[in-house]
Amino acid sequence: MKKLLNTLFVTQPDSYLSLDGENIVILQDEVKKRIPLHNLESIVTFGYTGASPALMGYCADENIPIIFLTSSGRFRARVVGKSRGNVVLRKTQYRLSDNEIESARIARNFITGKVFNQKWMLERVTRDYPIRVDTAKFKEVSAQLSDLMKEIRVCDDLERLRGLEGQAAISYNKVFNQMILQQKEDFYFHSRSRRPPLDNVNAMLSFAYTLLANDTATALEGVGLDAYVGFLHRERPGRISLALDVMEELRGIYADKFVLTLINKKIFNKDDFVKKENGAILMTDEARRKFLSAWQNKKTEKITHPYLGEKIQWGLVPHAQSLLLARYLRGDLDEYPPFLWK
């Protein structure tokens, strides 16, 4: 199993990244920090100043992707090296992606994993907090998700599959706000708002999804797949469609649960956000650093992978799922096994 290395997050927007030997150097008029590159698996930088061609070339050769985000956390670009994937594997990926029926048969497993994990989250909340939530409503939504999973498991039409996923999302979102148990005056969820996020919860969810998408794209490239060619999410210039596919099953159990923990444990509060004139809610620089630190800590937590039966860190789950997807595409597995967590 792959070893989990560190991701370097550069949060100061006026930082310039350069190369010195085998070290990355962070510059702000003067050298602020020097970090060995052999300890890093990826670099995420916020802002617009940029990185030197020498650093980008070195990272490309060493398979260390550099992800450029805006200061608010929106994706801008991703610099990766030449493809090291097995050409036969990628040709299989492209061929299946061009076939909508085959794409649906793969994509339905991503969505099955997503809905299963969301259902588990609801069941866990009703078990742990039966007095603080509307248990009857949670059970109703859980039953709806079970019924939808039965349809998803046999669906071989992409449009129908997207419709079923949408129905599941509507049901899940109806009770998401009840899973916020603390600071309810400042943290609430009525609906998903993305560009821009219009409340504190959506700001945190968007940031978590961006981080998870980039982690998943790195994992897919690491096993030789093309992160930009998906099955559920179709090709769009600049969009890491396959990463968005694979991360579906981790949205609830990984990203949503992470955000809920930060709120319910009062690690975040209303002072961690600012509101712009257009109504957009953004995290402060200090809040972003706090979020990233907690994200890195989360990635080091150990779990037992439900399919592999091995103890791995949470941060390696995207790598494990990418490996299983590659094995399926090679014909080593009869079906892609989604991450079904309990």
Side-chain angles (χ1 to χ4, degrees), residues 121-122 125 132-134 137-138 169-192 199 201-202 205 256 260 263-264:
M121 286 177 63
L122 303 187
V125 169
R132 303 186 65 179
V133 300
D134 184 345
K137 183 62 178 177
F138 271 66
I170 290 171
S171 295
Y172 171 75
N173 287 342
K174 283 180 181 178
V175 293
F176 187 88
N177 190 58
Q178 289 195 52
M179 290 191 281
I180 301 171
L181 304 173
Q182 302 287 342
Q183 310 181 85
K184 296 186 75 71
E185 289 187 4
D186 301 312
F187 293 92
Y188 47 82
F189 181 89
H190 301 313
S191 63
R192 186 79 177 99
D199 56 61
V201 175
N202 271 292
L205 289 174
D256 293 1
L260 288 168
I263 297 169
N264 290 335

Side-chain angles (χ1 to χ4, degrees), residues 155-303:
C155 181
D156 57 7
D157 178 88
L158 275 177
E159 284 305 311
R160 174 63 178 155
L161 186 59
R162 293 188 185 102
L164 293 170
E165 180 200 11
Q167 291 178 49
I170 290 171
S171 295
Y172 171 75
N173 287 342
K174 283 180 181 178
V175 293
F176 187 88
N177 190 58
Q178 289 195 52
M179 290 191 281
I180 301 171
L181 304 173
Q182 302 287 342
Q183 310 181 85
K184 296 186 75 71
E185 289 187 4
D186 301 312
F187 293 92
Y188 47 82
F189 181 89
H190 301 313
S191 63
R192 186 79 177 99
S193 57
R194 297 173 176 82
R195 297 181 180 176
L198 300 177
D199 56 61
N200 298 343
V201 175
N202 271 292
M204 296 174 75
L205 289 174
S206 291
F207 196 40
Y209 294 156
T210 296
L211 296 175
L212 181 57
N214 285 315
D215 286 347
T216 306
T218 299
L220 289 165
E221 297 283 350
V223 301
L225 291 167
D226 189 334
Y228 291 85
V229 179
F231 301 106
L232 178 68
H233 295 83
R234 310 310 285 173
E235 294 83 27
R236 183 185 300 171
R239 183 169 76 173
I240 45 178
S241 297
L242 185 59
L244 297 178
D245 283 357
V246 175
M247 69 175 274
E248 287 293 350
E249 56 205 78
L250 300 177
R251 278 183 186 268
I253 197 59
Y254 196 117
D256 293 1
K257 196 168 184 294
F258 174 77
V259 167
L260 288 168
T261 298
L262 294 182
I263 297 169
N264 290 335
K265 289 190 174 181
K266 299 184 179 180
I267 298 170
F268 267 60
N269 58 58
K270 64 180 180 179
D271 296 329
D272 288 314
F273 303 87
V274 293
K275 186 173 184 178
K276 297 296 185 180
E277 292 181 358
N278 66 350
I281 302 295
L282 304 177
M283 280 189 275
T284 66
D285 291 343
E286 180 57 37
R288 193 183 301 118
R289 285 190 285 270
K290 183 166 56 173
F291 193 103
L292 293 170
S293 176
W295 183 263
Q296 285 294 88
N297 290 336
K298 171 69 175 177
K299 289 168 69 171
T300 63
E301 294 178 7
K302 291 278 188 80
I303 63 163

